[in-house]
Amino acid sequence: MKKYGDLEIIKSPRIPKLIEHLYAKLPEIEADRAVILTKSYQETEGDPIITRRAKAFKAICEELPITIRPDELIVGSNSKAPRGCQVFPEYSYEWLEQEFDTVAARSADPFYISEETKNQLHEAYLYWKGKTTSDLATSYMEQETLTAMEHYIFTPGNYFYNGIGHLTVQYDKVLKIGYSGIHKEAKEALSKLKISDGDYGKRARFLEAVMMSCQAAINYANRYAKLALSEASTCQDNVRKKELLQIAQNCANVPANGATSFWEACQSFWFVQMLLQVESSGHSISPGRFDQYMYPYYLDDIEKGKITREFAQELIDCIWVKLNDLNKVRDAASAEGFAGYSLFQNLITGGQDEEGNDVTNELSFMCIEASMHVMLPAPSLSVRVWNGTPDEFLIKAATLTRTGIGLPAYYNDEVIIPALVNRGVSLKDARTYDIIGCVEPQKAGKTDGWHDAAFFNMLRPLEMVFSNGYENGVKVGLQTGDVAGMKTFEEFYAAYKKQMEYFIELMVNADNAIDLAHAKRCPLPFQSSMVEDCIGRGISLQEGGAVYNFTGPQGFGIANMTDSLWAVKTLVFEEKKLTLLEYKKALEDNFGQKMPIEKAKLITTRVAEELAKAGHQVNEAQIADIYNMVSMGNELEAGQKKYNQLLEWIEELPKYGNDIEEVDLLARDVAYTYTKPLENYKNPRGGQYQAGLYPVSANVPLGAQTGATPDGRLANTPIADGVGPASGRDVKGPTAAANSVAKLDHFIASNGTLFNQKFHPSALSGMRGLQNFTALIRGFFDEKGMHMQFNVVSKETLLDAQAHPQNYKNLVVRVAGYSALFTTLSRSLQDDIINRTTQGF
Amino acid sequence: MNNDYLKVKGRIFDIQRYSIHDGPGIRTIIFLKGCALRCKWCCNPESQSFDIEKMKVKGKDKLIGRDVTVEEVMKEVMKDIHYYNRSQGGITLSGGECLLQPDFAVALLRAAKANGINTAIESTAFTKFEIIEKFLPFLDLFLLDIKHLDTIKHKQFTSQPNEHILENAMRLAMSSMHLIIRVPVIPTFNDTIIEIRSIAEYAKVLPGVEELHLLPYHRLGSDKYEGLNREYELKDLEPPTNEQMQLLMEEAKKSGLKVQIGG
């Protein structure tokens, strides 16, 4: 333990105050950025787009209202109100205008918006019609692509309507040489260009835009220096006055120049982090290896006695709070999928250096401590794990996991490094990888990874096999033939693969269209100034300036697909208990359960239309009656019985997630139907497509758009999360589920995989609990799993587990002298455990 | 090398993975069928009879007990090898009573040792010591139940006297086996301060014994009695409270042993 010093550090009383202030009010939408941006655009018509973007960024940096919140040590806020947000009409705006009057009252991530802001935004929006990236992207897409998107086969919504984000810039460079240093670098690059070069004009304008952006960032910090100075001059509290004077001095020096102290380094980091989120609305701006690039400044201050560990911790805690100050308004549907105002600012600790040595340091521990101090969702804290990771560091991480906050996530170096090398990333760069957003690995400061390019629902192509490519009379997929004519499982599976390949190609079409639109309409000079090799090549990140370019859309639904294919293979082709046609009917009838809402609505509409055609006036009450009749209509007793039998057969079948070799190997192959075709495609930036396997939380809303599946999953219900087993189907405990997941090929899913497990806090109790818990992680990683995260569940969850046991079959609880699966216990014993939990056993 | 021992057959009724409370690290527990004792509180009543029997589980008939070879069990056991390696875990034989199927149990322990896995058994020690001796070369940890020092009360609640058990405990301790004493704390049977204290004092006398585990009574098994069409005699018994367990633990600690609640 001595190696990393005395680990526990007391939380400063400042931190709860900062948090209280941050969460005092509903977050608010502010119009300032949109107004300044629009005005700037109106003044720069005719300029090259890169120049217009730089000028607009400069105007924003110089005019956006600034504020220092009470007690802050690290300053810089992109909104006047705490957790407020700016809007970004250059990407899309229609949805917000439509939701002006509902955004404050909605259940997921509500935002206050004043009448004045509405008016200002409405005024600004008039300019943007037809000028957004979203508008241009649509015009680049094929009709089949649009149809597939309308039918929820995949959704590239994130980048279609917002900035890209999803990167880690060269924080280390800004800390070291400041924006004046980068400015100088761009200037030198410009001086080396020959005006006779074919693309001189474009490159020159780009480099000038970089220089302008650097200056803009410096100007922004200088405004804060002045503000701090003026607040200090009127401050009555001497302690605070001293702080404000130091803040003023910090902001005058950074990020213009290299940082000369840990406090300056923290301030410089923060300006980078927040200004990136002023330039563009892209989320998952990930700080990456904070414990590495901040360490030299920490060590220097500690060695010279300029700072105490306690104060260093307080500064880190302040940054953690500030990361939660940033916010983003999304449309109502996306807000459901991303609920929790999350910006996915991933910050990773531990891991290796370029030569493969472990570089876990004192700051790695302090980052975990900071998350314990603030207990807020940001940053998305991650931990790198490999054979050289010190046990005490993993134990420290596990104590954070035990709090139930769901942090940190654990990543396996032993899989990620070779996976990146396989994508052409150099060994040095791969060893120093960080994580973007949810789970996406990349080399910081060199990569434009487009890590969240789309969600691809792997169950929908299966529906297209059953429907021969049609849905509600519209041709959506390929005509792979009537299922009635399919004689073997291989034939059926081949049809699925064909549908997959078809839709994957359409998704690539969509992503590339959006990619082109961003390059054309929203190149980002400020972002580009901090990613290698934009300055060297003289082109923006959005046009392919990065060393490594990828597009990473995520496939999800592996568990349900595996169980579905296994069911079809066994019940139809091996045991011949029913035909494919009968299966098709069962799916259409949702196994005799109530009709899916969407389908019932559609039929209701058709009936009403026909009645109207026939001259009958239909009022609302009658429509409701029709709807009720339609949705209940197929609950015929005989049918019900037949389907219950089918559901029972399905229930008896082996399932993914129970460490059953043959089923798990099928899962591996199912994942390949997505990961393998995808890597054949290229994006407009010259980079390769690479698959991720996880849905974030889209498995719920996109599950709602998916009919019943052969694994017994009912229509409109959630799809399995991550690469884990379908909810409640893994019954052999956490190691068995982990072993199943480890059988997938995680190396090829180099855009990341996600594996969630649930534990009761008691399973992690005491040092022994923590040791066994970290052994579970290490064991899974020995088997070449890629990622693991944990829900350590509370009493509320246990109550919910009682009410819905089918969803919690794998929940481990400590009973008495041993652990057991919660749902297997009798009701009274469950009650015992729940009551005991409140006593904090 | 003679691998015949891998073919030895035995009768088990369950294999439970990711057990973290019956020996060190992450473990797989193999439950052997058949027991010489009939403890009234037994939470695994389906373990008692050696015969394969039917039990109703959630309304459905389920066959309890199956005959398997050591090799078959090891195939399941080895699936978690990485987790044992990372946690110094392994297998624990439980039951039922593994001493009643010595050929199978010893072969299983031998196979585990051949794979470098930690081994433990959870046992009543109710058999001839010559049989126990066969286990020792392949065993890292013996979790021994001592339920009561009064043989009449012992017999009344478990159907067997305790002399044999106490004698074996001493002989085991003398053999320098790593021995942990476990006491199921059962209200109305052995949950008084005097009873627990005396068991602790006895355990303390056993050479080399340093640890005592107090396992609070629970009702996990009560549904199973119904499923087996048997009467659960203790159905009105309340589990001991946390406070009571703390009190008993403090009392037991006075013996000088390291005492914990739970495994």
Side-chain angles (χ1 to χ4, degrees), chain A residues 167-441:
Chain A
L167 89 166
T168 302
V169 297
Q170 294 164 303
Y171 296 94
D172 53 339
K173 189 172 177 181
V174 182
L175 293 178
K176 208 166 165 190
I177 64 171
Y179 285 113
S180 60
I182 298 175
H183 187 282
K184 196 170 147 220
E185 214 175 87
K187 200 170 177 184
E188 280 167 10
L190 181 60
S191 72
K192 282 185 194 141
L193 297 183
K194 283 194 194 141
I195 56 169
S196 52
D197 288 345
D199 55 356
Y200 171 81
K202 200 168 176 228
R203 292 215 270 171
R205 295 299 90 81
F206 167 74
L207 290 167
E208 285 161 7
V210 166
M211 287 154 65
M212 205 188 302
S213 304
C214 289
Q215 192 55 53
I218 295 169
N219 294 351
Y220 182 75
N222 281 334
R223 291 172 66 207
Y224 268 98
K226 277 188 199 135
L227 180 63
L229 211 55
S230 105
E231 286 193 11
S233 70
T234 59
C235 181
Q236 302 297 318
D237 175 350
N238 274 336
V239 176
R240 182 61 184 158
K241 186 180 188 128
K242 221 175 131 201
E243 286 171 2
L244 285 165
L245 288 173
Q246 186 60 52
I247 289 168
Q249 205 182 318
N250 291 347
C251 295
N253 192 46
V254 295
N257 306 304
T260 61
S261 69
F262 187 64
W263 194 346
E264 276 189 7
C266 288
Q267 181 63 62
S268 188
F269 160 82
W270 180 250
F271 277 127
V272 177
Q273 184 65 14
M274 65 142 300
L275 283 173
L276 282 168
Q277 299 182 64
V278 168
E279 189 191 29
S280 157
S281 65
H283 66 229
S284 298
I285 301 292
S286 299
R289 306 188 79 188
F290 184 88
D291 62 340
Q292 300 305 311
Y293 55 75
M294 296 298 286
Y295 191 58
Y297 303 92
Y298 170 75
L299 198 63
D300 196 52
D301 273 11
I302 289 282
E303 279 177 353
K304 290 183 180 148
K306 282 164 69 182
I307 199 172
T308 61
R309 291 180 74 239
E310 288 67 26
F311 187 62
Q313 182 71 57
E314 188 173 353
L315 288 171
I316 296 171
D317 293 359
C318 284
I319 287 180
W320 261 231
V321 175
K322 286 299 279 178
L323 287 165
N324 292 279
D325 194 353
L326 298 171
N327 216 337
K328 171 172 178 173
V329 59
R330 301 179 172 89
D331 63 274
S334 303
E336 299 273 344
F338 291 107
Y341 299 106
S342 187
L343 287 175
F344 309 98
Q345 301 171 100
N346 202 308
L347 189 150
I348 195 160
T349 60
Q352 308 173 38
D353 64 12
E354 287 183 349
E355 292 166 349
N357 305 299
D358 190 77
V359 287
T360 307
N361 62 37
E362 207 163 326
L363 280 187
S364 320
F365 284 79
M366 289 164 80
C367 287
I368 293 174
E369 192 74 32
S371 288
M372 288 190 178
H373 284 171
V374 304
M375 290 299 276
L376 294 173
S380 298
L381 192 69
S382 297
V383 168
R384 280 180 54 169
V385 183
W386 70 296
N387 278 330
T389 299
D391 279 335
E392 63 253 57
F393 181 53
L394 262 193
I395 293 285
K396 177 84 180 173
T399 49
L400 176 59
T401 299
R402 184 162 66 184
T403 65
I405 190 174
L407 300 174
Y410 299 83
Y411 293 87
N412 188 3
D413 280 12
E414 319 281 1
V415 169
I416 291 174
I417 292 168
L420 290 176
V421 169
N422 179 46
R423 296 292 178 216
V425 176
S426 75
L427 182 59
K428 276 183 177 182
D429 285 348
R431 279 175 171 160
T432 51
Y433 79 88
D434 72 335
I435 294 292
I436 300 296
C438 292
V439 296
E440 307 96 88

Side-chain angles (χ1 to χ4, degrees), chain B:
Chain B
M1 205 166 110
N2 185 356
N3 279 339
D4 285 353
Y5 72 98
L6 294 175
K7 306 286 178 209
V8 177
K9 276 198 167 183
R11 184 165 292 176
I12 66 169
F13 69 93
D14 200 7
I15 296 179
Q16 190 186 315
R17 292 165 65 178
Y18 197 74
S19 169
I20 51 176
H21 302 294
D22 295 288
I26 295 172
R27 311 187 72 82
T28 295
I29 307 196
I30 298 109
F31 291 89
L32 281 75
K33 203 151 162 33
C35 188
L37 273 59
R38 291 290 179 269
C39 303
K40 290 188 179 180
W41 61 83
C42 183
C43 64
N44 287 331
E46 78 278 31
S47 75
Q48 294 175 347
S49 162
F50 182 74
D51 297 332
I52 292 174
E53 58 196 320
K54 261 189 205 156
M55 181 166 80
K56 265 214 168 23
V57 181
K58 287 178 183 164
K60 279 185 192 166
D61 274 338
K62 199 180 154 191
L63 220 48
I64 304 295
R66 59 195 161 103
D67 294 330
V68 289
T69 63
V70 168
E71 203 167 26
E72 284 162 354
V73 176
M74 284 309 291
K75 196 180 162 204
E76 190 70 12
V77 166
M78 290 306 287
K79 285 180 171 176
D80 281 350
I81 182 70
H82 291 113
Y83 305 100
Y84 312 144
N85 287 344
R86 288 294 187 174
S87 65
Q88 283 84 51
I91 60 165
T92 300
L93 306 190
S94 182
E97 172 56 69
C98 66
L99 299 177
L100 297 184
Q101 298 186 53
D103 293 345
F104 173 66
V106 169
L108 192 49
L109 294 172
R110 184 178 162 193
K113 288 319 293 177
N115 283 289
I117 297 172
N118 182 284
T119 54
I121 67 172
E122 191 184 25
S123 168
T124 64
F126 189 79
T127 188
K128 287 186 209 143
F129 193 71
E130 294 73 60
I131 289 179
I132 296 178
E133 263 181 326
K134 292 183 189 166
F135 282 67
L136 302 185
F138 307 107
L139 198 55
D140 295 316
L141 171 65
F142 201 119
L143 298 163
L144 171 65
D145 265 21
I146 294 185
K147 300 164 166 77
H148 212 290
L149 293 189
D150 176 356
T151 190
I152 296 171
K153 209 163 180 191
H154 195 278
K155 183 156 187 197
Q156 195 186 339
F157 275 80
T158 72
S159 82
Q160 300 286 1
N162 70 4
E163 290 86 355
H164 227 52
I165 294 171
L166 296 179
E167 189 197 326
N168 282 339
M170 184 56 80
R171 292 182 73 173
L172 265 172
M174 302 292 283
S175 77
S176 78
M177 181 71 223
H178 181 199
L179 187 59
I180 293 177
I181 304 301
R182 298 183 133 190
V183 187
V185 178
I186 315 297
T188 71
F189 170 57
N190 65 0
D191 68 332
T192 65
I193 285 175
I194 296 167
E195 285 163 311
I196 294 298
R197 180 75 189 266
S198 61
I199 295 173
E201 293 295 348
Y202 184 84
K204 177 63 189 166
V205 171
L206 298 170
V209 169
E210 290 169 358
E211 274 184 70
L212 183 80
H213 296 172
L214 299 177
L215 311 180
Y217 166 73
H218 61 80
R219 295 181 284 203
L220 181 66
S222 58
D223 294 351
K224 294 180 180 175
Y225 284 85
E226 209 173 301
L228 289 165
N229 243 331
R230 284 171 51 180
E231 194 194 347
Y232 184 51
E233 288 182 50
L234 305 182
K235 57 176 167 289
D236 297 325
L237 204 60
E238 288 290 325
T241 62
N242 283 352
E243 293 72 26
Q244 199 182 346
M245 288 305 298
Q246 287 294 329
L247 193 72
L248 293 176
M249 179 169 76
E250 292 312 317
E251 198 55 36
K253 275 184 180 167
K254 289 179 185 163
S255 65
L257 289 174
K258 194 179 151 222
V259 183
Q260 67 182 54
I261 298 170

Side-chain angles (χ1 to χ4, degrees), chain A residues 136-175:
Chain A
L136 186 61
T138 311
S139 71
Y140 284 144
M141 288 180 199
E142 294 308 294
Q143 185 52 50
E144 293 92 318
T145 305
L146 293 167
T147 304
M149 277 158 55
E150 278 160 23
H151 287 258
Y152 300 100
I153 310 289
F154 53 83
T155 159
N158 215 353
Y159 299 168
F160 203 177
Y161 300 109
N162 299 286
I164 308 300
H166 288 85
L167 89 166
T168 302
V169 297
Q170 294 164 303
Y171 296 94
D172 53 339
K173 189 172 177 181
V174 182
L175 293 178

Side-chain angles (χ1 to χ4, degrees), chain A residues 31-186:
Chain A
D32 305 284
R33 183 191 178 278
V35 170
I36 302 165
L37 174 91
T38 308
K39 186 164 154 276
S40 173
Y41 260 70
Q42 283 163 340
E43 290 164 1
T44 59
E45 298 279 4
D47 282 356
I49 184 64
I50 195 76
T51 310
R52 299 182 75 188
R53 292 298 303 173
K55 283 182 177 170
F57 181 64
K58 188 153 175 283
I60 293 166
C61 284
E62 287 167 358
E63 295 166 34
L64 196 68
I66 60 171
T67 176
I68 295 174
R69 308 208 195 284
D71 298 309
E72 281 188 331
L73 295 179
I74 307 294
V75 300
S77 300
N78 67 14
S79 60
K80 288 167 286 194
R83 296 191 302 137
C85 74
Q86 300 294 337
V87 292
F88 299 75
E90 65 266 48
Y91 295 107
S92 67
Y93 62 90
E94 292 92 340
W95 55 270
L96 183 57
E97 189 148 44
Q98 282 158 17
E99 294 175 22
F100 269 167
D101 297 327
T102 52
V103 69
R106 71 190 191 189
S107 61
D109 295 3
F111 280 85
Y112 171 75
I113 181 166
S114 71
E115 287 306 316
E116 192 197 344
T117 301
K118 284 183 198 172
N119 291 336
Q120 284 177 310
L121 287 179
H122 180 73
E123 184 78 13
Y125 286 167
L126 295 174
Y127 172 81
W128 289 100
K129 190 165 170 53
K131 295 192 175 77
T132 64
T133 52
S134 173
D135 293 325
L136 186 61
T138 311
S139 71
Y140 284 144
M141 288 180 199
E142 294 308 294
Q143 185 52 50
E144 293 92 318
T145 305
L146 293 167
T147 304
M149 277 158 55
E150 278 160 23
H151 287 258
Y152 300 100
I153 310 289
F154 53 83
T155 159
N158 215 353
Y159 299 168
F160 203 177
Y161 300 109
N162 299 286
I164 308 300
H166 288 85
L167 89 166
T168 302
V169 297
Q170 294 164 303
Y171 296 94
D172 53 339
K173 189 172 177 181
V174 182
L175 293 178
K176 208 166 165 190
I177 64 171
Y179 285 113
S180 60
I182 298 175
H183 187 282
K184 196 170 147 220
E185 214 175 87

